[in-house]
Amino acid sequence: DTGVSQDPRHKITKRGQNVTFRCDPISEHNRLYWYRQTLGQGPEFLTYFQNEAQLEKSRLLSDRFSAERPKGSFSTLEIQRTEQGDSAMYLCASSLGGDSPLHFGNGTRLTVT
Amino acid sequence: DAKTTQPNSMESNEEEPVHLPCNHSTISGTDYIHWYRQLPSQGPEYVIHGLTSNVNNRMASLAIAEDRKSSTLILHRATLRDAAVYYCILRAYQTGANNLFFGTGTRLTVIP
């Protein structure tokens, strides 16, 4: 399978703990995106990378959230001091440049207890 | 950002055509109209996009009104696998905008 892969698929953590998610994009895609989706809502944009540079961040991305894409390949999204409101599906997508469509992974479902 | 308006839900019988409407009255001249769908427990999947002319691909057709203030996604023969939430999104042409606004979409139910 050469699609976008995300790990883990599910994560349960206690409030206050830190969590990290990984995304492996389609190999030739230079753009990588993180979105968050809560129940009954559409995905909401969090941040975007072009190669290793983080070029855009949503105001949804509080200072407890940090994303990296070292070497312009895989990406990690870390949430520090998790809160119950962080419970959501975290989706990663990648694309080629320009107006190319986004290819999404199947997400990491985070539950904060 | 220009937004879109879609019905919350629609139903279709299996093997019949489905027309999913989208209103985007504040669309700008450089906005492409994109459609994605999200099957249960999966990430969104690209379906089709267009600017002014109608578009066809193996998944669906996209009919765009002459004034571009509305569009319709057409599934020619609905199958049970087409049951999903369908999102109509405007995306700026020049920047290939990255903060796509998905909204809540239309939940399509396909009745066997």
Side-chain angles (χ1 to χ4, degrees), chain B residues 3 12 14 22 25 27 37 40 60 64 94 96 105:
Chain B
K3 297 298 188 286
S12 173
E14 194 177 10
C22 181
S25 58
I27 190 170
R37 72 179 186 181
I64 301 172
Q94 289 179 331

Side-chain angles (χ1 to χ4, degrees), chain A residues 9 31 33 35 37 40-45 48 56 89 91 95 98-107, chain B residues 32 34 36 38 41-46 49 87 91-93 95-104 107:
Chain A
R9 286 299 307 275
R31 295 186 173 190
Y33 315 78
Y35 281 77
Q37 185 173 27
Q41 302 298 313
E44 297 173 293
F45 172 78
Y48 149 69
E56 196 171 341
M89 176 75 80
L91 293 160
S95 76
D99 196 43
S100 304
L102 275 62
H103 297 258
F104 283 83
N106 286 330
Chain B
Y32 273 93
H34 284 245
Y36 284 74
Q38 188 170 20
S41 302
Q42 295 188 23
E45 172 188 33
Y46 167 79
H49 77 283
Y87 298 99
R91 192 179 188 194
Y93 167 66
T95 63
N98 308 296
N99 52 341
L100 301 184
F101 180 77
F102 278 78
T104 54
R107 181 174 297 278

Side-chain angles (χ1 to χ4, degrees), chain A residues 17-63:
Chain A
Q17 297 294 305
N18 299 343
V19 294
T20 300
F21 311 139
R22 178 181 170 118
C23 171
D24 286 274
I26 295 172
S27 59
E28 63 267 28
H29 287 182
N30 60 358
R31 295 186 173 190
L32 187 146
Y33 315 78
W34 285 98
Y35 281 77
R36 182 177 72 182
Q37 185 173 27
T38 54
L39 200 60
Q41 302 298 313
E44 297 173 293
F45 172 78
L46 291 178
T47 190
Y48 149 69
F49 290 84
Q50 181 155 320
N51 299 313
E52 67 275 9
Q54 188 174 17
L55 298 185
E56 196 171 341
K57 290 197 289 188
S58 161
R59 55 187 165 80
L60 291 176
L61 209 69
S62 76
D63 53 10

Side-chain angles (χ1 to χ4, degrees), chain B residues 15-18 56-57 59-61 74-78:
Chain B
E15 299 191 4
E16 291 189 356
V18 182
N56 301 295
N57 66 19
M59 291 180 70
S61 296
I74 302 166
L75 307 179
H76 295 286
R77 287 179 69 237

